[in-house]
Amino acid sequence: RSAGMERVTADQVYQVLINVESTDESQRKPAEEQLKQWETTSTKGFLASLTEIIAKGTEVHEQVRLLACIVAKNAVGSSWRKTLSTREWTKVDQDEKIFLRNALPEVLLKEPNNQVALQIALFLSNIVRFDFPKEWPDILDLLVKTVVEDPSVDVKYRGVIALKFIFEALQTKVTLTAGFSTEAVQSAVKEARDMPRKVAEQFGPLANQCKLQLQEFAKATATWQSNATLAIELLAVLENSIILVPDLELLEPSLLGFFETILECSKAQFQLLLKPFDPQYQQYYNLLSKCFFRNINCVLSTFEKHTMKFCSYLMPFLRHYTEVLATFPRSSCFFVHRKVMKITRYLTMVMVCPFFRHQFWDSISAMLGSVETKFEKAKIVYGELNQFLSPECLAALVESLIQNHLQMTPEEIEAWQNEPEAYLKDAEAPDSIHAYAEELLSAMFLRASGQIRAILTNDARKLQEHQNADSDEIVLLLDGCYRAIGVSRTGSDQVVDINKWYETELRSRIENPQQCTLFRDRVLLTRGLWLIRRFAARVSADNVDRIISSVLGCISSPDLVVSMQAIMTLHSFLLLRQSRDDGDHNLPIAVIVKECFGVLPKLKETENRIHILDLVSQLIRIVGYRVIEPHLEEIIGYLPALWSNLPTDANQESGGEVRLQKSLVTLTSNIIQAIGPSALENPKVGDLALKLLQFTTNPKGQQALNMLDEGLQLWNSILRATPALAQVLVDLYPRLFEILDPNVDPEHGLPILGAYILLGRNLVPQFIEQIVHSVDKIIGRCDYRESVLAVNIIETLVVMFPDDAPKWFLEPLRRLARDLVEGEAIDRTDVNKKRLVPVEAIATCQVLGRIVIREPLAFSALCLDNVPAQEKLLDQWLQCIANHSIEELFSTAATLGGLRQRKIVSIALLVLLDKEHPVICENAVKVLKLIRPVIREHQKMAERVARFRELQMKSQLDRQLDICERELVLNDPVDQINITTLFEGAIAKYPIPEEPSYPGNIPFLPLME
């Protein structure tokens, strides 16, 4: 690409870098553009010039060197090596690459500024990611030799940092082939194999160096700080190298010594961390703590990547980390949540690992008996694990988890009292120390449910009977214990029976929330609500109504935490009721709406307000319009004010506010959908719905990117409920055509277009040009779902405007016929999905069949009078006649729909036979043989079809769109044609042999032939 460009010099680049640092915008802007141009065009000498500037050291200001490093680092990613299809290419000359590979290691080690050196290491690692091991095989040897042999700790540190970035970069390396030749593939395979092997070769020297640095750190000599920092970074390098190798055996025997070292160090470090220390040694202990937790990272990463091969090392670390978790007090300044969680994570992974589970060994023993398998090491670990996890060990773990991990912290208590919504947000965060402890408890319960149940019930009883049971300290422990009980469950197995427990432990507070004035009482009240939410599916039918009533009483609590927990509990019951489809809708709607919206003004956090709106939406979906309509005023009264307080400028919106807007739009949509026309007659509902609709469906507005789905759902709900197209809806009609653009959302826009066509028949001529243009851009070009919906639009218009629609859609119809003949959508943008799927072919056959019924000459015209094309089109039509979907076996609606589709194409073929179309007549026997089953099916289904039409005519519909859809079906001109008479006339002209009929009690399906 840069073949014809002049080579840039270091002096030129240096001057531009100086100008970039200038405060004068007239100098800075052109310089920034020049840098960007050099980078994007990969100008010859650009990377080399940057490297020369960096290599000058103190001769160049460190800020300029830093900028040069950053620019060079980014330029490597964009120009060093690329792939285009199967061809590999580069923008940087080989000579320049060689210069950089030779210069950068020395530049890194000599750089006086640590911040600049860090960026040089990143620059170097970006090149290594592309060139190692093929083009730069010795880079690891060079850096490791520096780390091991150089006497300077600072120089060692530079090498270690570079190795750290290199190993991180290599984890995302993709080996590329330079073509499909055997040599190219073999070269790529060799490179892919050499990379982990060369990484493994460096493990031994690095592990030995790490051991030396840990020993120097332990001696607490004058250089203890540098030794500790170096050891910590070496541990990170070794962790990444373990991740890079495909098999731990590549690292033996060094790996055994490495794990022995870090286990010994970890034990010694933990004992030191437990002891009190002089504050003047705080920095030493901080590094000690950092080193201790970095050890855990190595162990955890190894177990995650090499689970089976780690068996030899698993139990020593499990024993150690179990002791750590059981004895590490939360009061320690080194008890850092995000770091302690890694220990919890390790224990959880061991507990849930399939190779150490009872079910695995029970099943494999039953299958193989005493036969040795590749799981022998895992079997040994399984036995040791069972022996180690004694009741005493489990009890110590459980009690530590309750006291140190599940019990509320002083910070959480303060947040509850001063910032309740912040507390709610963090209390159940999936990345909190509580969540990790819950995962471990769940895993322990999965492994030893009986023992964990006994431990938890015993702990709960002790705390309840404690002589200071009313003290804050014991109540907080009891709260942690209850939380442990709530998460210790697997399927139907759980610690307590929620119905009995509600009577004995929870009822007194939940049914009398007004008496819970003390903080400790509110803590247990909130936990009781949380437990009911966790066990909602286990609440007996006799208790549901009483519990819902009690939970409703808690919503009005002045404590916002109690109030929101009650709302979330109520939401769980509503979701459960919907999933079970109980049919019992005796819910206190007025109370629910009043209590929930009463909390809304108190809330500041968006997620909590969303929760309330989602709950009311759920309520509307469950109870239906007859139950919800009397409470419409109460519901809708809160929404306009809520909307008016939200920002409508996309640049000022936060992610939470967008989600709140989405929930509000969804709730409004559900209200309209549930109640129907009377909802829009309410001025508040109508005004709010139209405001929301105009705001969310503007394709040119930023908000459409966030809320278009919800806006289209609302638009659809309004059209389904409106008694007529009001002018404001007509004004939105043109906006629909922007949404139908293939790059926006045609799948959800086409049903809206269909509704407009049915409700505004008189508007079709006015907008037909836009309709045709939009449909033409979708059919055969978008995904098959959008194509089918667009074909259905044409079919609707063909039924409504039989004389005009074929002329309007002449070009799209010709493309449909062409695609049907070819068997694939030639113009489809997704080249991997060009082939027509059956539903797409059937929809196309159906609409073409309708046109041919009205104008038989269209069959030849659509194929441009090409006889082979007509023969292929006939084959597709015959496939459509023979097609029966599997849904027709189970659904009356699918059966009637399939019969209609087969009848339309059959009538079209019979009409063509009657008109003596040469291609059809030439294949008359084949055509009539396939039509005969359709005639039989038509006759057998005649009574059911008549009954179905009668039911449709009698149905009491109150929504205009439903009425229009019914009229479209009932007035289908195809139903006026006597297919039997047409068939008998065709048989008279082209006799076909009779076939045995099926017994009357067997439903006919051609599949059964």
Side-chain angles (χ1 to χ4, degrees):
R1 286 221 180 171
S2 57
M5 299 178 64
E6 293 184 4
R7 187 179 187 88
V8 70
T9 66
D11 290 339
Q12 290 174 299
V13 176
Y14 176 72
Q15 187 57 53
V16 170
L17 292 173
I18 292 291
N19 291 342
V20 167
E21 295 291 325
S22 172
T23 57
D24 185 349
E25 188 172 349
S26 63
Q27 289 185 339
R28 189 178 68 254
K29 285 289 183 182
E32 289 173 349
E33 291 297 323
Q34 182 64 69
L35 275 183
K36 185 177 180 181
Q37 181 188 349
W38 282 337
E39 179 182 345
T40 54
T41 59
S42 298
T43 303
K44 286 183 180 181
F46 180 53
L47 284 172
S49 298
L50 289 168
T51 305
E52 289 176 26
I53 292 168
I54 300 166
K56 290 183 178 180
T58 53
E59 295 178 28
V60 176
H61 192 278
E62 64 183 40
Q63 195 63 35
V64 176
R65 299 201 311 277
L66 182 63
L67 177 60
C69 288
I70 294 170
V71 172
K73 174 191 68 176
N74 295 337
V76 168
S78 63
S79 61
W80 197 264
R81 197 164 88 181
K82 297 289 181 184
T83 56
L84 186 63
S85 182
T86 59
R87 184 170 60 86
E88 187 179 307
W89 55 284
T90 181
K91 291 181 177 180
V92 182
D93 292 342
Q94 287 301 322
D95 291 343
E96 191 168 354
K97 288 185 175 183
I98 293 170
F99 169 76
L100 292 174
R101 290 195 290 260
N102 291 333
L104 277 176
E106 185 178 356
V107 171
L108 169 69
L109 299 178
K110 291 184 176 180
E111 169 58 44
N113 182 277
N114 287 332
Q115 190 178 8
V116 176
L118 186 72
Q119 292 300 320
I120 297 172
L122 286 168
F123 178 18
L124 185 146
S125 69
N126 280 359
I127 297 175
V128 173
R129 179 176 177 269
F130 289 109
D131 287 2
F132 178 79
K134 188 177 179 180
E135 304 293 339
W136 204 356
D138 60 343
I139 180 60
L140 296 187
D141 295 327
L142 177 64
L143 291 171
V144 171
K145 184 178 180 181
T146 300
V147 172
V148 173
E149 297 181 2
D150 199 290
S152 169
V153 175
D154 291 337
V155 174
K156 288 179 185 287
Y157 183 77
R158 296 281 176 84
V160 170
I161 289 298
L163 286 168
K164 177 183 173 182
F165 290 145
I166 287 170
F167 286 169
E168 288 174 354
L170 289 178
Q171 291 178 39
T172 61
K173 179 180 176 66
V174 178
T175 303
L176 307 170
T177 61
F180 289 119
S181 67
T182 303
E183 294 78 7
V185 173
Q186 288 175 345
S187 175
V189 170
K190 183 178 184 301
E191 184 179 359
R193 288 176 176 171
D194 283 350
M195 191 267 285
R197 180 179 59 79
K198 285 185 171 292
V199 170
E201 289 172 357
Q202 310 305 327
F203 186 84
L206 289 172
N208 291 334
Q209 187 64 34
C210 182
K211 182 177 180 179
L212 288 173
Q213 300 304 147
L214 287 169
Q215 289 171 346
E216 290 298 317
F217 175 40
K219 292 176 184 177
T221 58
T223 58
W224 64 265
Q225 189 171 2
S226 300
N227 286 315
T229 305
L230 187 56
I232 290 166
E233 295 301 337
L234 273 167
L235 285 169
V237 171
L238 290 165
E239 177 191 353
N240 286 324
S241 65
I242 291 171
I243 294 172
L244 281 169
V245 297
D247 193 327
L248 286 184
E249 290 179 0
L250 289 172
L251 305 179
E252 297 293 0
S254 303
L255 187 66
L256 177 60
F258 171 65
F259 278 136
E260 286 176 348
T261 298
I262 65 172
L263 179 60
E264 180 184 351
C265 287
S266 185
K267 289 179 178 179
Q269 290 162 353
F270 180 63
Q271 292 304 316
L272 285 172
L273 293 176
L274 289 178
K275 295 177 181 178
F277 63 92
D278 193 319
Q280 66 178 319
Y281 301 120
Q282 180 72 52
Q283 190 175 6
Y284 178 87
Y285 277 86
N286 286 342
L287 283 172
L288 190 75
S289 167
K290 193 172 181 179
C291 191
F292 170 73
F293 287 112
R294 182 57 61 86
N295 288 338
I296 297 169
N297 285 358
C298 287
V299 175
L300 186 58
S301 296
T302 308
F303 183 53
E304 287 177 336
K305 178 69 186 290
H306 306 282
T307 304
M308 284 296 292
K309 297 290 184 178
F310 189 71
C311 287
S312 305
Y313 314 100
L314 186 143
M315 285 307 299
F317 284 104
L318 182 73
R319 293 189 182 96
H320 172 49
Y321 291 146
T322 301
E323 179 189 0
V324 171
L325 205 64
T327 59
F328 205 173
R330 189 168 69 176
S331 56
S332 170
C333 62
F334 303 113
F335 191 94
V336 181
H337 288 187
R338 61 185 175 82
K339 295 183 177 180
V340 173
M341 289 189 301
K342 294 173 183 176
I343 303 175
T344 313
R345 173 71 176 158
Y346 177 74
L347 297 184
T348 303
M349 288 178 62
V350 173
M351 299 280 184
V352 300
C353 180
F355 306 121
F356 313 134
R357 296 264 300 275
H358 304 310
Q359 296 91 329
F360 177 79
W361 288 106
D362 290 346
S363 61
I364 203 170
S365 299
M367 288 190 293
L368 301 176
S370 59
V371 178
E372 286 194 9
T373 68
K374 63 180 181 180
F375 303 114
E376 288 306 309
K377 287 185 177 180
K379 188 175 183 180
I380 295 170
V381 171
Y382 170 70
E384 292 178 356
L385 189 61
N386 290 337
Q387 187 176 3
F388 175 69
L389 294 176
S390 63
E392 294 76 18
C393 176
L394 291 172
L397 265 179
V398 169
E399 288 171 10
S400 175
L401 288 172
I402 291 172
Q403 185 170 356
N404 297 315
H405 298 249
L406 293 177
Q407 185 185 180
M408 279 195 293
T409 64
E411 294 78 14
E412 288 174 321
I413 294 171
E414 183 180 356
W416 180 320
Q417 295 173 330
N418 299 324
E419 298 181 59
E421 291 190 79
Y423 167 79
L424 285 165
K425 185 177 181 180
D426 297 336
E428 297 183 32
D431 57 349
S432 68
I433 191 170
H434 303 315
Y436 275 69
E438 289 173 358
E439 286 182 1
L440 178 55
L441 272 168
S442 181
M444 292 164 65
F445 189 78
L446 185 67
R447 183 176 189 86
S449 57
Q451 293 173 332
I452 299 300
R453 182 184 295 107
I455 292 167
L456 286 173
T457 51
N458 185 50
D459 286 350
R461 186 175 63 255
K462 284 182 180 178
L463 291 169
Q464 290 164 348
E465 296 173 356
H466 196 279
Q467 60 181 0
N468 297 322
D470 289 338
S471 67
D472 289 351
E473 180 184 358
I474 300 302
V475 165
L476 291 174
L477 282 172
L478 186 60
D479 173 65
C481 186
Y482 282 177
R483 186 166 187 164
I485 289 171
V487 298
S488 300
R489 50 184 296 190
T490 56
S492 59
D493 195 10
Q494 51 212 15
V495 176
V496 296
D497 180 339
I498 188 62
N499 295 289
K500 293 180 180 177
W501 215 33
Y502 179 76
E503 294 293 337
T504 58
E505 304 295 335
L506 309 179
R507 179 181 176 182
S508 59
R509 290 186 180 87
I510 292 176
E511 293 189 359
N512 300 286
Q514 66 279 0
Q515 296 180 7
C516 298
T517 55
L518 298 175
F519 176 72
R520 57 175 176 264
D521 291 327
R522 299 199 304 278
V523 167
L524 292 180
L525 169 60
T526 304
R527 186 58 60 196
L529 291 166
W530 179 86
L531 283 164
I532 291 173
R533 175 156 64 96
R534 297 283 297 191
F535 294 111
R538 299 291 166 190
V539 173
S540 65
D542 297 337
N543 281 333
V544 168
D545 290 339
R546 182 176 57 160
I547 289 179
I548 287 179
S549 176
S550 301
V551 170
L552 272 172
C554 296
I555 294 177
S556 59
S557 169
D559 189 323
L560 207 52
V561 174
V562 175
S563 184
M564 283 305 301
Q565 192 64 250
I567 287 172
M568 289 186 280
T569 303
L570 179 61
H571 198 176
S572 296
F573 274 101
L574 293 179
L575 287 170
L576 189 65
R577 180 166 290 199
Q578 184 184 33
S579 64
R580 289 176 175 174
D581 193 21
D582 291 339
D584 176 18
H585 300 319
N586 296 323
L587 291 168
I589 307 298
V591 179
I592 293 175
V593 172
K594 180 182 177 183
E595 295 294 348
C596 288
F597 280 119
V599 175
L600 203 55
K602 305 176 187 176
L603 299 174
K604 297 177 182 177
E605 282 288 333
T606 302
E607 291 300 329
N608 293 328
R609 292 190 283 175
I610 289 172
H611 211 111
I612 290 179
L613 295 181
D614 288 348
L615 185 150
V616 178
S617 285
Q618 195 74 31
L619 183 67
I620 292 169
R621 285 194 291 270
I622 291 171
V623 301
Y625 77 95
R626 286 191 177 86
V627 178
I628 205 69
E629 188 170 16
H631 308 285
L632 178 61
E633 285 292 337
E634 296 170 62
I635 297 173
I636 201 64
Y638 296 96
L639 303 186
L642 179 60
W643 176 257
S644 63
N645 290 329
L646 287 171
T648 54
D649 182 352
N651 296 321
Q652 298 177 2
E653 292 174 344
S654 66
E657 286 166 338
V658 170
R659 291 194 299 276
L660 181 58
Q661 288 173 338
K662 286 184 176 185
S663 294
L664 183 56
V665 173
T666 301
L667 174 56
T668 307
S669 179
N670 287 340
I671 291 171
I672 295 169
Q673 193 172 344
I675 298 175
S678 59
L680 291 176
E681 292 170 3
N682 184 302
K684 291 181 181 178
V685 179
D687 291 346
L688 177 63
L690 291 172
K691 283 180 184 177
L692 296 179
L693 182 59
Q694 290 171 331
F695 179 75
T696 57
T697 59
N698 180 9
K700 295 178 181 176
Q702 179 68 25
Q703 61 273 11
L705 298 176
N706 302 320
M707 291 183 287
L708 187 59
D709 286 348
E710 289 75 14
L712 294 179
Q713 178 190 351
L714 175 62
W715 202 344
N716 199 34
S717 297
I718 290 173
L719 290 173
R720 298 211 72 85
T722 187
L725 282 179
Q727 185 58 45
V728 67
L729 291 174
V730 175
D731 293 340
L732 287 171
Y733 206 154
R735 179 178 292 184
L736 180 58
F737 301 116
E738 297 179 55
I739 291 166
L740 290 174
D741 185 281
N743 296 317
V744 185
D745 195 351
E747 184 176 359
H748 294 101
L750 284 165
I752 296 173
L753 176 60
Y756 266 101
I757 289 170
L758 289 173
L759 290 169
R761 181 188 179 109
N762 60 313
L763 297 173
V764 170
Q766 179 183 344
F767 292 101
I768 191 59
E769 187 176 340
Q770 294 99 310
I771 294 172
V772 172
H773 181 67
S774 297
V775 168
D776 185 51
K777 287 194 296 184
I778 296 168
I779 284 179
R781 293 188 167 99
C782 296
D783 186 73
Y784 79 90
R785 297 177 187 85
E786 287 94 337
S787 283
V788 170
L789 290 170
V791 172
N792 291 342
I793 293 291
I794 295 179
E795 185 178 14
T796 299
L797 288 166
V798 166
V799 174
M800 294 174 65
F801 302 93
D803 295 325
D804 298 322
K807 301 173 189 174
W808 293 337
F809 292 97
L810 182 59
E811 288 306 316
L813 289 170
R814 280 181 175 161
R815 280 199 305 105
L816 283 174
R818 179 203 65 186
D819 290 350
L820 201 56
V821 166
E822 297 297 332
E824 63 176 34
I826 295 172
D827 298 330
R828 184 160 288 157
T829 53
D830 189 342
V831 295
N832 297 317
K833 296 182 179 179
K834 282 185 175 288
R835 188 166 185 82
L836 294 184
V837 298
V839 66
E840 197 173 6
I842 290 167
T844 302
C845 289
Q846 191 166 313
V847 72
L848 295 181
R850 286 186 179 276
I851 291 169
V852 169
I853 290 171
R854 187 166 182 85
E855 180 48 69
L857 292 175
F859 186 83
S860 298
L862 289 169
C863 297
L864 302 176
D865 295 322
N866 184 300
V867 173
Q870 294 171 40
E871 291 172 346
K872 290 181 181 179
L873 182 58
L874 172 62
D875 287 340
Q876 290 283 2
W877 279 21
L878 294 179
Q879 288 180 41
C880 178
I881 292 174
N883 178 75
H884 286 73
S885 67
I886 193 67
E887 287 84 359
E888 292 184 45
L889 293 172
F890 311 106
S891 165
T892 299
T895 303
L896 295 176
L899 175 59
R900 175 173 294 276
Q901 141 218 320
R902 292 185 285 275
K903 276 176 61 178
I904 290 170
V905 179
S906 297
I907 291 171
L909 289 170
L910 290 171
V911 168
L912 289 171
L913 277 174
D914 185 56
K915 298 296 183 181
E916 298 183 347
H917 189 285
V919 173
I920 310 301
C921 292
E922 186 179 342
N923 296 276
V925 175
K926 181 169 66 172
V927 169
L928 292 173
K929 278 187 176 181
L930 283 169
I931 290 178
R932 179 162 53 193
V934 179
I935 302 300
R936 289 180 185 159
E937 187 183 6
H938 167 68
Q939 292 168 346
K940 289 179 180 293
M941 297 286 291
E943 184 179 343
R944 188 184 296 183
V945 171
R947 188 164 61 250
F948 186 72
R949 286 176 62 86
E950 184 180 349
L951 289 173
Q952 281 185 308
M953 293 174 69
K954 290 181 177 179
S955 58
Q956 300 294 318
L957 302 177
D958 62 345
R959 305 191 183 203
Q960 186 60 34
L961 185 55
D962 292 341
I963 295 170
C964 291
E965 289 172 341
R966 180 186 65 182
E967 295 303 315
L968 188 70
V969 173
L970 292 178
N971 297 320
D972 190 341
V974 170
D975 293 333
Q976 310 303 317
I977 300 173
N978 192 325
I979 188 173
T980 306
T981 303
L982 281 174
F983 180 71
E984 290 171 352
I987 290 290
K989 285 185 180 181
Y990 308 97
I992 58 174
E994 284 294 329
E995 294 179 356
S997 60
Y998 293 93
N1001 60 338
I1002 299 179
F1004 174 82
L1005 277 179
L1007 181 66
M1008 297 170 68
E1009 278 187 315

